[in-house]
Amino acid sequence: MLPLQIHLTLPPWIEDVADASRRYVTDEERVGLAIELSRHNIQYGSGGPFGAAVFDEHGRLISAAANRVVAQTCSVAHAEMLAYMVAQQRLASYRLNEQGGHYTLATSAQPCCQCYGATVWAGIDTLLIGARAEDVEELTEFDEGPLPADWPGELERRGISVRRDILREQARAVLAAYGATGESY
Ligand SMILES: [Zn+2]
């Protein structure tokens, strides 16, 4: 019999790090949370050094996620993918901004080619990024995959504004800590 359902989980510590009762107003607060999620993920060994979160226009937290590829035996279980999936389920909308509103994804590192593709369809209006792809490839062994040469422009043309290098050094520090372990998880 073939399975008809998949099940993905996030680690329970997410709720200790991500505060659903507060407003994350600035870009730095939002990426700061994504980096905090990435830091906890390697501290608890629950996944790779990546975190992401979705916010509405008021800074309310819609979803918070971390990389779960190894833990969930699932190559798509990147932080950004899980943040989109949880937010879409929560809002009951396969495009987050379909019913209006303004949604932001904050991620600890530049989306890989998979998460970049997902970003085109997820229904966000703003993408906030910590570390660059070259930081990921310099400090860890991950391959970020091919992207269009003008990847920010392709998003901008689809109504998604992009802001990069937010708290980049903090994001790099987590990648470096992970890379120094020499492990993959
Ligand atoms: Zn990814």
Side-chain angles (χ1 to χ4, degrees), residues 132-148:
R132 293 186 172 217
E134 52 259 44
D135 298 329
V136 176
E137 295 187 339
E138 172 197 333
L139 299 166
T140 73
E141 295 189 343
F142 294 112
D143 174 11
E144 293 297 280
L147 288 180

mmCIF file with all atom_site columns, all heavy atoms in Angstrom, residues 132-148:
data_model
loop_
_atom_site.group_PDB
_atom_site.id
_atom_site.type_symbol
_atom_site.label_atom_id
_atom_site.label_alt_id
_atom_site.label_comp_id
_atom_site.label_asym_id
_atom_site.label_entity_id
_atom_site.label_seq_id
_atom_site.pdbx_PDB_ins_code
_atom_site.Cartn_x
_atom_site.Cartn_y
_atom_site.Cartn_z
_atom_site.occupancy
_atom_site.B_iso_or_equiv
_atom_site.pdbx_formal_charge
_atom_site.auth_seq_id
_atom_site.auth_comp_id
_atom_site.auth_asym_id
_atom_site.auth_atom_id
_atom_site.pdbx_PDB_model_num
ATOM 1   N N   . ARG A 1 132 ? 24.704 35.632 3.176   1.00 0.00 ? 132 ARG A N   1
ATOM 2   C CA  . ARG A 1 132 ? 24.664 35.416 1.721   1.00 0.00 ? 132 ARG A CA  1
ATOM 3   C C   . ARG A 1 132 ? 24.921 33.945 1.382   1.00 0.00 ? 132 ARG A C   1
ATOM 4   O O   . ARG A 1 132 ? 25.505 33.210 2.186   1.00 0.00 ? 132 ARG A O   1
ATOM 5   C CB  . ARG A 1 132 ? 25.733 36.254 1.045   1.00 0.00 ? 132 ARG A CB  1
ATOM 6   C CG  . ARG A 1 132 ? 25.454 37.736 1.149   1.00 0.00 ? 132 ARG A CG  1
ATOM 7   C CD  . ARG A 1 132 ? 26.446 38.547 0.364   1.00 0.00 ? 132 ARG A CD  1
ATOM 8   N NE  . ARG A 1 132 ? 26.030 39.934 0.331   1.00 0.00 ? 132 ARG A NE  1
ATOM 9   C CZ  . ARG A 1 132 ? 26.175 40.739 -0.732  1.00 0.00 ? 132 ARG A CZ  1
ATOM 10  N NH1 . ARG A 1 132 ? 26.756 40.291 -1.822  1.00 0.00 ? 132 ARG A NH1 1
ATOM 11  N NH2 . ARG A 1 132 ? 25.754 41.978 -0.683  1.00 0.00 ? 132 ARG A NH2 1
ATOM 12  N N   . ALA A 1 133 ? 24.557 33.558 0.156   1.00 0.00 ? 133 ALA A N   1
ATOM 13  C CA  . ALA A 1 133 ? 24.825 32.187 -0.291  1.00 0.00 ? 133 ALA A CA  1
ATOM 14  C C   . ALA A 1 133 ? 26.318 31.895 -0.246  1.00 0.00 ? 133 ALA A C   1
ATOM 15  O O   . ALA A 1 133 ? 26.742 30.786 0.104   1.00 0.00 ? 133 ALA A O   1
ATOM 16  C CB  . ALA A 1 133 ? 24.270 31.971 -1.700  1.00 0.00 ? 133 ALA A CB  1
ATOM 17  N N   . GLU A 1 134 ? 27.118 32.904 -0.584  1.00 0.00 ? 134 GLU A N   1
ATOM 18  C CA  . GLU A 1 134 ? 28.576 32.656 -0.554  1.00 0.00 ? 134 GLU A CA  1
ATOM 19  C C   . GLU A 1 134 ? 29.085 32.443 0.864   1.00 0.00 ? 134 GLU A C   1
ATOM 20  O O   . GLU A 1 134 ? 30.076 31.745 1.072   1.00 0.00 ? 134 GLU A O   1
ATOM 21  C CB  . GLU A 1 134 ? 29.349 33.766 -1.262  1.00 0.00 ? 134 GLU A CB  1
ATOM 22  C CG  . GLU A 1 134 ? 29.036 35.176 -0.825  1.00 0.00 ? 134 GLU A CG  1
ATOM 23  C CD  . GLU A 1 134 ? 28.105 35.896 -1.790  1.00 0.00 ? 134 GLU A CD  1
ATOM 24  O OE1 . GLU A 1 134 ? 27.101 35.276 -2.235  1.00 0.00 ? 134 GLU A OE1 1
ATOM 25  O OE2 . GLU A 1 134 ? 28.351 37.080 -2.104  1.00 0.00 ? 134 GLU A OE2 1
ATOM 26  N N   . ASP A 1 135 ? 28.392 33.010 1.852   1.00 0.00 ? 135 ASP A N   1
ATOM 27  C CA  . ASP A 1 135 ? 28.742 32.729 3.250   1.00 0.00 ? 135 ASP A CA  1
ATOM 28  C C   . ASP A 1 135 ? 28.465 31.264 3.579   1.00 0.00 ? 135 ASP A C   1
ATOM 29  O O   . ASP A 1 135 ? 29.269 30.595 4.229   1.00 0.00 ? 135 ASP A O   1
ATOM 30  C CB  . ASP A 1 135 ? 27.921 33.613 4.202   1.00 0.00 ? 135 ASP A CB  1
ATOM 31  C CG  . ASP A 1 135 ? 28.190 35.098 4.005   1.00 0.00 ? 135 ASP A CG  1
ATOM 32  O OD1 . ASP A 1 135 ? 29.322 35.451 3.625   1.00 0.00 ? 135 ASP A OD1 1
ATOM 33  O OD2 . ASP A 1 135 ? 27.261 35.898 4.232   1.00 0.00 ? 135 ASP A OD2 1
ATOM 34  N N   . VAL A 1 136 ? 27.288 30.787 3.136   1.00 0.00 ? 136 VAL A N   1
ATOM 35  C CA  . VAL A 1 136 ? 26.915 29.388 3.387   1.00 0.00 ? 136 VAL A CA  1
ATOM 36  C C   . VAL A 1 136 ? 27.954 28.459 2.760   1.00 0.00 ? 136 VAL A C   1
ATOM 37  O O   . VAL A 1 136 ? 28.431 27.506 3.401   1.00 0.00 ? 136 VAL A O   1
ATOM 38  C CB  . VAL A 1 136 ? 25.512 29.086 2.805   1.00 0.00 ? 136 VAL A CB  1
ATOM 39  C CG1 . VAL A 1 136 ? 25.182 27.603 2.978   1.00 0.00 ? 136 VAL A CG1 1
ATOM 40  C CG2 . VAL A 1 136 ? 24.455 29.959 3.469   1.00 0.00 ? 136 VAL A CG2 1
ATOM 41  N N   . GLU A 1 137 ? 28.334 28.747 1.525   1.00 0.00 ? 137 GLU A N   1
ATOM 42  C CA  . GLU A 1 137 ? 29.258 27.845 0.815   1.00 0.00 ? 137 GLU A CA  1
ATOM 43  C C   . GLU A 1 137 ? 30.691 27.989 1.337   1.00 0.00 ? 137 GLU A C   1
ATOM 44  O O   . GLU A 1 137 ? 31.463 27.036 1.263   1.00 0.00 ? 137 GLU A O   1
ATOM 45  C CB  . GLU A 1 137 ? 29.142 28.072 -0.688  1.00 0.00 ? 137 GLU A CB  1
ATOM 46  C CG  . GLU A 1 137 ? 27.738 27.663 -1.159  1.00 0.00 ? 137 GLU A CG  1
ATOM 47  C CD  . GLU A 1 137 ? 27.544 27.685 -2.664  1.00 0.00 ? 137 GLU A CD  1
ATOM 48  O OE1 . GLU A 1 137 ? 28.319 28.368 -3.359  1.00 0.00 ? 137 GLU A OE1 1
ATOM 49  O OE2 . GLU A 1 137 ? 26.595 27.019 -3.143  1.00 0.00 ? 137 GLU A OE2 1
ATOM 50  N N   . GLU A 1 138 ? 31.012 29.152 1.871   1.00 0.00 ? 138 GLU A N   1
ATOM 51  C CA  . GLU A 1 138 ? 32.350 29.336 2.456   1.00 0.00 ? 138 GLU A CA  1
ATOM 52  C C   . GLU A 1 138 ? 32.475 28.618 3.803   1.00 0.00 ? 138 GLU A C   1
ATOM 53  O O   . GLU A 1 138 ? 33.501 27.987 4.087   1.00 0.00 ? 138 GLU A O   1
ATOM 54  C CB  . GLU A 1 138 ? 32.614 30.841 2.656   1.00 0.00 ? 138 GLU A CB  1
ATOM 55  C CG  . GLU A 1 138 ? 33.898 31.162 3.437   1.00 0.00 ? 138 GLU A CG  1
ATOM 56  C CD  . GLU A 1 138 ? 33.903 32.598 3.971   1.00 0.00 ? 138 GLU A CD  1
ATOM 57  O OE1 . GLU A 1 138 ? 33.254 33.478 3.374   1.00 0.00 ? 138 GLU A OE1 1
ATOM 58  O OE2 . GLU A 1 138 ? 34.564 32.817 5.000   1.00 0.00 ? 138 GLU A OE2 1
ATOM 59  N N   . LEU A 1 139 ? 31.424 28.693 4.619   1.00 0.00 ? 139 LEU A N   1
ATOM 60  C CA  . LEU A 1 139 ? 31.526 28.252 6.013   1.00 0.00 ? 139 LEU A CA  1
ATOM 61  C C   . LEU A 1 139 ? 30.994 26.842 6.263   1.00 0.00 ? 139 LEU A C   1
ATOM 62  O O   . LEU A 1 139 ? 31.227 26.271 7.330   1.00 0.00 ? 139 LEU A O   1
ATOM 63  C CB  . LEU A 1 139 ? 30.787 29.251 6.912   1.00 0.00 ? 139 LEU A CB  1
ATOM 64  C CG  . LEU A 1 139 ? 31.347 30.675 6.874   1.00 0.00 ? 139 LEU A CG  1
ATOM 65  C CD1 . LEU A 1 139 ? 30.378 31.669 7.500   1.00 0.00 ? 139 LEU A CD1 1
ATOM 66  C CD2 . LEU A 1 139 ? 32.697 30.724 7.594   1.00 0.00 ? 139 LEU A CD2 1
ATOM 67  N N   . THR A 1 140 ? 30.235 26.302 5.308   1.00 0.00 ? 140 THR A N   1
ATOM 68  C CA  . THR A 1 140 ? 29.704 24.947 5.444   1.00 0.00 ? 140 THR A CA  1
ATOM 69  C C   . THR A 1 140 ? 29.928 24.214 4.124   1.00 0.00 ? 140 THR A C   1
ATOM 70  O O   . THR A 1 140 ? 30.463 24.788 3.170   1.00 0.00 ? 140 THR A O   1
ATOM 71  C CB  . THR A 1 140 ? 28.181 24.946 5.738   1.00 0.00 ? 140 THR A CB  1
ATOM 72  O OG1 . THR A 1 140 ? 27.475 25.307 4.544   1.00 0.00 ? 140 THR A OG1 1
ATOM 73  C CG2 . THR A 1 140 ? 27.819 25.919 6.847   1.00 0.00 ? 140 THR A CG2 1
ATOM 74  N N   . GLU A 1 141 ? 29.479 22.967 4.058   1.00 0.00 ? 141 GLU A N   1
ATOM 75  C CA  . GLU A 1 141 ? 29.663 22.205 2.821   1.00 0.00 ? 141 GLU A CA  1
ATOM 76  C C   . GLU A 1 141 ? 28.402 22.163 1.974   1.00 0.00 ? 141 GLU A C   1
ATOM 77  O O   . GLU A 1 141 ? 28.304 21.398 1.025   1.00 0.00 ? 141 GLU A O   1
ATOM 78  C CB  . GLU A 1 141 ? 30.145 20.791 3.164   1.00 0.00 ? 141 GLU A CB  1
ATOM 79  C CG  . GLU A 1 141 ? 31.525 20.832 3.818   1.00 0.00 ? 141 GLU A CG  1
ATOM 80  C CD  . GLU A 1 141 ? 32.133 19.448 3.984   1.00 0.00 ? 141 GLU A CD  1
ATOM 81  O OE1 . GLU A 1 141 ? 31.387 18.458 3.911   1.00 0.00 ? 141 GLU A OE1 1
ATOM 82  O OE2 . GLU A 1 141 ? 33.361 19.391 4.179   1.00 0.00 ? 141 GLU A OE2 1
ATOM 83  N N   . PHE A 1 142 ? 27.420 22.984 2.324   1.00 0.00 ? 142 PHE A N   1
ATOM 84  C CA  . PHE A 1 142 ? 26.168 22.967 1.557   1.00 0.00 ? 142 PHE A CA  1
ATOM 85  C C   . PHE A 1 142 ? 26.351 23.592 0.184   1.00 0.00 ? 142 PHE A C   1
ATOM 86  O O   . PHE A 1 142 ? 27.068 24.578 0.024   1.00 0.00 ? 142 PHE A O   1
ATOM 87  C CB  . PHE A 1 142 ? 25.075 23.734 2.302   1.00 0.00 ? 142 PHE A CB  1
ATOM 88  C CG  . PHE A 1 142 ? 24.660 23.087 3.588   1.00 0.00 ? 142 PHE A CG  1
ATOM 89  C CD1 . PHE A 1 142 ? 24.935 23.693 4.799   1.00 0.00 ? 142 PHE A CD1 1
ATOM 90  C CD2 . PHE A 1 142 ? 23.995 21.872 3.593   1.00 0.00 ? 142 PHE A CD2 1
ATOM 91  C CE1 . PHE A 1 142 ? 24.560 23.095 6.001   1.00 0.00 ? 142 PHE A CE1 1
ATOM 92  C CE2 . PHE A 1 142 ? 23.616 21.269 4.795   1.00 0.00 ? 142 PHE A CE2 1
ATOM 93  C CZ  . PHE A 1 142 ? 23.900 21.884 5.994   1.00 0.00 ? 142 PHE A CZ  1
ATOM 94  N N   . ASP A 1 143 ? 25.674 22.996 -0.795  1.00 0.00 ? 143 ASP A N   1
ATOM 95  C CA  . ASP A 1 143 ? 25.588 23.542 -2.149  1.00 0.00 ? 143 ASP A CA  1
ATOM 96  C C   . ASP A 1 143 ? 24.251 24.264 -2.251  1.00 0.00 ? 143 ASP A C   1
ATOM 97  O O   . ASP A 1 143 ? 23.202 23.655 -2.035  1.00 0.00 ? 143 ASP A O   1
ATOM 98  C CB  . ASP A 1 143 ? 25.662 22.391 -3.160  1.00 0.00 ? 143 ASP A CB  1
ATOM 99  C CG  . ASP A 1 143 ? 25.425 22.859 -4.585  1.00 0.00 ? 143 ASP A CG  1
ATOM 100 O OD1 . ASP A 1 143 ? 25.401 24.080 -4.834  1.00 0.00 ? 143 ASP A OD1 1
ATOM 101 O OD2 . ASP A 1 143 ? 25.248 21.983 -5.454  1.00 0.00 ? 143 ASP A OD2 1
ATOM 102 N N   . GLU A 1 144 ? 24.284 25.549 -2.542  1.00 0.00 ? 144 GLU A N   1
ATOM 103 C CA  . GLU A 1 144 ? 23.041 26.325 -2.572  1.00 0.00 ? 144 GLU A CA  1
ATOM 104 C C   . GLU A 1 144 ? 22.291 26.209 -3.897  1.00 0.00 ? 144 GLU A C   1
ATOM 105 O O   . GLU A 1 144 ? 21.164 26.671 -4.008  1.00 0.00 ? 144 GLU A O   1
ATOM 106 C CB  . GLU A 1 144 ? 23.340 27.790 -2.259  1.00 0.00 ? 144 GLU A CB  1
ATOM 107 C CG  . GLU A 1 144 ? 23.819 27.989 -0.828  1.00 0.00 ? 144 GLU A CG  1
ATOM 108 C CD  . GLU A 1 144 ? 22.743 27.589 0.186   1.00 0.00 ? 144 GLU A CD  1
ATOM 109 O OE1 . GLU A 1 144 ? 21.839 28.379 0.415   1.00 0.00 ? 144 GLU A OE1 1
ATOM 110 O OE2 . GLU A 1 144 ? 22.833 26.461 0.717   1.00 0.00 ? 144 GLU A OE2 1
ATOM 111 N N   . GLY A 1 145 ? 22.934 25.596 -4.884  1.00 0.00 ? 145 GLY A N   1
ATOM 112 C CA  . GLY A 1 145 ? 22.255 25.357 -6.150  1.00 0.00 ? 145 GLY A CA  1
ATOM 113 C C   . GLY A 1 145 ? 22.241 26.581 -7.051  1.00 0.00 ? 145 GLY A C   1
ATOM 114 O O   . GLY A 1 145 ? 22.597 27.682 -6.633  1.00 0.00 ? 145 GLY A O   1
ATOM 115 N N   . PRO A 1 146 ? 21.834 26.368 -8.323  1.00 0.00 ? 146 PRO A N   1
ATOM 116 C CA  . PRO A 1 146 ? 21.849 27.470 -9.289  1.00 0.00 ? 146 PRO A CA  1
ATOM 117 C C   . PRO A 1 146 ? 20.655 28.420 -9.134  1.00 0.00 ? 146 PRO A C   1
ATOM 118 O O   . PRO A 1 146 ? 19.544 27.998 -8.879  1.00 0.00 ? 146 PRO A O   1
ATOM 119 C CB  . PRO A 1 146 ? 21.752 26.734 -10.635 1.00 0.00 ? 146 PRO A CB  1
ATOM 120 C CG  . PRO A 1 146 ? 21.008 25.475 -10.311 1.00 0.00 ? 146 PRO A CG  1
ATOM 121 C CD  . PRO A 1 146 ? 21.379 25.098 -8.901  1.00 0.00 ? 146 PRO A CD  1
ATOM 122 N N   . LEU A 1 147 ? 20.944 29.696 -9.281  1.00 0.00 ? 147 LEU A N   1
ATOM 123 C CA  . LEU A 1 147 ? 19.895 30.716 -9.250  1.00 0.00 ? 147 LEU A CA  1
ATOM 124 C C   . LEU A 1 147 ? 20.020 31.579 -10.500 1.00 0.00 ? 147 LEU A C   1
ATOM 125 O O   . LEU A 1 147 ? 21.102 31.656 -11.097 1.00 0.00 ? 147 LEU A O   1
ATOM 126 C CB  . LEU A 1 147 ? 20.071 31.633 -8.030  1.00 0.00 ? 147 LEU A CB  1
ATOM 127 C CG  . LEU A 1 147 ? 19.755 31.069 -6.657  1.00 0.00 ? 147 LEU A CG  1
ATOM 128 C CD1 . LEU A 1 147 ? 20.005 32.138 -5.594  1.00 0.00 ? 147 LEU A CD1 1
ATOM 129 C CD2 . LEU A 1 147 ? 18.314 30.591 -6.569  1.00 0.00 ? 147 LEU A CD2 1
ATOM 130 N N   . PRO A 1 148 ? 18.948 32.246 -10.904 1.00 0.00 ? 148 PRO A N   1
ATOM 131 C CA  . PRO A 1 148 ? 19.068 33.210 -11.996 1.00 0.00 ? 148 PRO A CA  1
ATOM 132 C C   . PRO A 1 148 ? 20.125 34.258 -11.632 1.00 0.00 ? 148 PRO A C   1
ATOM 133 O O   . PRO A 1 148 ? 20.274 34.602 -10.453 1.00 0.00 ? 148 PRO A O   1
ATOM 134 C CB  . PRO A 1 148 ? 17.685 33.862 -12.060 1.00 0.00 ? 148 PRO A CB  1
ATOM 135 C CG  . PRO A 1 148 ? 16.769 32.923 -11.358 1.00 0.00 ? 148 PRO A CG  1
ATOM 136 C CD  . PRO A 1 148 ? 17.596 32.203 -10.341 1.00 0.00 ? 148 PRO A CD  1
#
